[in-house]
């Protein structure tokens, strides 16, 4: 996969999310013009982060500025539902992300200033680090930059904003933020992880800390999803699991092709997950599982799309997640890091817990959409179907690349 394909997938995902917001708003979504413009601005900022791939002082600083801008725009979008919960959640999102990005910026300054003082090529510095004691400041800077960006990514212990943000925001906002922001943060983090592997391959460094936080986040998501009775927050825990998996992939420092495919996977999987979840919630008129299960009927196509999205987010062949699991296992065997097979194994465990909670929904009898919501939900179902096609196409493309030996 090349960068242009990723941009195309990102553009297609955004158009479908945007059309869902504009053509099928809920009664709480007022002032559509203003919020639609903010959606476009948020997406444009994220695309700009992806495009800036040169690892130089101007590039890393501009990436940081743009990612910080997504924090402010994202906080406004979170509050767009204008409920009693949305405003404190928007503040939590703003404060935690700004806190993390402040630490990351300090790390970037330390790295850049230290490398400027040492004034040696990275390859030479990696081979002669003992003759440059000032390299300790580069290591400290990498710890700060990597840890700071993990707050924006949503890893433990700064994961607390994930559930509230994705669980209480409008469906389209949750789709946009969960799909695009992790990709932007990964683009910013990747050069620092690569530099860390080059300079400190034999010590416990910032990149290794990223791995530990990712695995802790995965375990936390499994324990947390068991206690959740809210389909919005269950979906948020799915996003949290995949955030932890992203950290493991970043630590593996795979090829550009594998990295770009992983980013495309994040886009299509999370967008379909939240769009399909929103349809079920609107159709049921409830979000608590025990209340939905007690209902007399539910729209079966909407429920089937949501359940299928959950399957495709973990275990189903044909999903890009299935491809990324194969990539991870293959890279782990080649690099003698076989423990990374823990990620797909834990994915199966997470899926099993989630299926145990959601299986009773399948016993509810079917019915059409209610007349007052029929138009809105049919539009959302159409957009969800296109997202499903995009997800399956990405998965098939990944299998083709695997067979060709590209991934």
């Amino acid at each position: 996969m090349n960068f242009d394909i990723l941009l195309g997938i990102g553009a297609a995902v955004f158009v479908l999310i945007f059309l869902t917001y504009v053509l099928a708003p809920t009664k709480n979504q007022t002032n559509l013009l203003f919020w639609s413009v903010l959606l476009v601005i948020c997406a444009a900022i994220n695309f700009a982060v992806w495009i800036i791939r040169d690892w130089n002082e101007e590039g890393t600083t501009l990436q940081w500025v743009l990612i910080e801008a997504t924090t402010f725009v994202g906080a406004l979008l979170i509050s767009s539902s204008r409920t009693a919960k949305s405003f404190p959640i928007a503040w939590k999102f703003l404060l935690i992300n700004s806190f993390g990005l402040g630490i990351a910026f300090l790390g970037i300054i330390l790295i850049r200033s230290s490398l400027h003082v040492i004034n040696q090529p990275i390859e030479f510095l990696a081979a002669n680090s003992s003759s440059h004691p000032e390299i300790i400041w580069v290591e400290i800077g990498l710890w700060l930059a990597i840890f700071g960006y993990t707050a924006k990514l949503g890893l433990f212990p700064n994961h607390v904003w994930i559930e509230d943000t994705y669980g209480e925001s409008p469906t389209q906002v949750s789709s946009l933020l969960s799909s695009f922001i992790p990709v932007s943060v990964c683009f910013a983090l990747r050069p620092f992880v690569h530099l860390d592997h080059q300079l400190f391959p034999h010590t416990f460094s910032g990149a290794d800390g990223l791995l530990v936080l990712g695995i802790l986040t995965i375990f936390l998501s499994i324990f947390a999803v068991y206690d959740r009775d809210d389909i919005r927050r269950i979906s948020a825990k799915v996003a949290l699991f995949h955030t932890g998996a992203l950290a493991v992939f970043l630590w593996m420092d795979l090829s550009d092709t594998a990295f770009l495919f992983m980013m495309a996977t994040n886009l299509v999987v999370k967008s379909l997950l939240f769009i399909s979840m929103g349809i079920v919630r609107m159709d049921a008129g409830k979000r608590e599982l025990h209340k939905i299960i007690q209902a007399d009927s539910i729209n079966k196509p909407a429920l089937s799309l949501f359940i299928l999205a959950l399957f495709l987010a973990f275990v189903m062949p044909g999903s890009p997640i299935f491809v990324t699991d194969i990539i991870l296992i293959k890279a782990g065997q080649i690099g003698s890091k076989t423990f990374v097979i823990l990620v797909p194994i834990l994915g199966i465990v997470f899926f099993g817990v989630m299926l145990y909670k959601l299986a009773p929904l399948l016993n509810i009898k079917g019915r059409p959409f209610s007349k007052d919501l029929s138009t809105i939900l049919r539009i959302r179902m159409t957009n969800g179907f296109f997202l499903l096609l995009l997800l399956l196409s990405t998965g098939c493309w990944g299998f083709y690349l695997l067979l060709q030996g590209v991934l």
Side-chain angles (χ1 to χ4, degrees), residues 140-158:
I140 293 172
L142 285 169
W143 271 102
L144 292 173
I146 292 173
F147 178 76
Y149 271 128
T150 63
K152 181 70 177 181
L153 192 59
L155 296 183
F156 176 89
N158 297 302

Side-chain angles (χ1 to χ4, degrees), residues 310-366:
L310 294 173
F311 268 93
L312 291 169
F314 288 98
V315 297
M316 182 175 287
S319 167
I321 290 292
F322 191 78
V323 178
T324 57
D325 285 345
I326 294 175
I327 295 170
L328 191 63
I329 295 170
K330 178 182 174 182
Q333 290 178 334
I334 294 173
S336 299
K337 301 168 182 174
T338 53
F339 69 89
V340 296
I341 196 176
L342 187 67
V343 174
I345 290 174
L346 291 175
I348 295 174
V349 173
F350 186 102
F351 180 77
V353 173
M354 190 171 54
L355 191 61
Y356 166 76
K357 296 179 69 68
L358 296 176
L361 293 176
L362 301 175
N363 295 323
I364 305 175
K365 66 180 182 180

Side-chain angles (χ1 to χ4, degrees), residues 22-286:
V22 173
L23 301 179
T26 63
K27 60 182 180 180
N28 293 328
Q29 292 173 317
T30 57
N31 198 1
L32 283 181
L33 178 61
F34 175 74
W35 299 114
S36 299
V37 170
L38 272 187
L39 280 175
V40 174
I41 291 173
C42 186
I45 293 171
N46 280 283
F47 282 124
V49 174
W50 306 357
I51 292 169
I52 301 169
R53 290 179 291 167
D54 293 330
W55 198 71
N56 52 42
E57 186 171 355
E58 293 78 13
T60 52
T61 303
L62 184 54
Q63 272 188 329
W64 181 90
V65 171
L66 291 172
I67 291 174
E68 177 70 350
T70 65
T71 302
F72 290 101
V73 177
L76 290 173
L77 287 171
I78 292 165
S79 66
S80 64
S81 59
R82 314 192 75 80
T83 64
K85 290 183 178 181
S86 64
F87 292 106
I89 289 171
W91 274 109
K92 179 188 289 187
F93 174 85
L94 180 64
L95 291 175
I96 294 178
N97 283 268
S98 296
F99 159 76
L101 289 174
I103 295 175
F105 189 63
L106 177 59
I108 293 171
I109 293 174
L110 279 176
I111 293 167
R112 287 302 175 187
S113 59
S114 301
L115 291 177
H116 180 73
V117 170
I118 296 173
N119 195 26
Q120 294 288 350
I122 298 300
E123 295 76 12
F124 177 85
L125 186 58
N128 301 274
S129 58
S130 59
S131 61
H132 292 278
E134 60 272 28
I135 199 176
I136 185 65
W137 293 107
V138 177
E139 184 173 12
I140 293 172
L142 285 169
W143 271 102
L144 292 173
I146 292 173
F147 178 76
Y149 271 128
T150 63
K152 181 70 177 181
L153 192 59
L155 296 183
F156 176 89
N158 297 302
H159 63 285
V160 292
W161 64 267
I162 289 278
E163 181 175 346
D164 288 339
T165 297
Y166 299 162
E168 300 298 336
S169 302
T171 298
Q172 303 92 327
V173 173
S174 298
S175 271
L176 182 70
L177 297 184
S178 65
S179 301
F180 282 78
I181 287 182
V183 174
S184 298
V185 178
C186 286
F187 268 105
L189 263 173
R190 182 169 161 81
F192 294 114
V193 173
H194 184 66
L195 178 63
D196 190 282
H197 284 316
Q198 283 183 291
L199 296 180
F200 311 105
H202 305 300
T203 60
F204 185 81
S205 56
D208 299 317
L210 174 68
L211 172 67
V212 171
L213 294 182
I215 293 174
L216 287 174
T217 303
I218 289 173
F219 275 107
L220 180 68
S221 67
I222 295 173
F223 286 113
V225 76
Y226 181 79
D227 293 329
R228 297 300 181 269
D229 186 53
D230 184 327
I231 61 170
R232 291 186 66 99
R233 291 183 175 267
I234 288 174
S235 300
K237 289 306 178 185
V238 176
L240 184 63
F241 180 95
H242 287 299
T243 296
L246 280 176
V248 178
F249 265 87
L250 282 172
W251 177 80
M252 290 293 290
D253 200 16
L254 302 177
S255 66
D256 287 344
T257 302
F259 172 76
L260 293 174
F261 183 79
M262 184 64 189
M263 298 301 99
T265 298
N266 185 85
L267 288 169
V268 294
V269 167
K270 289 183 180 176
S271 57
L272 177 62
L273 171 69
F274 282 100
I275 290 295
S276 60
M277 177 275 299
I279 297 171
V280 172
R281 186 196 62 79
M282 284 189 66
D283 174 65
K286 307 171 185 67

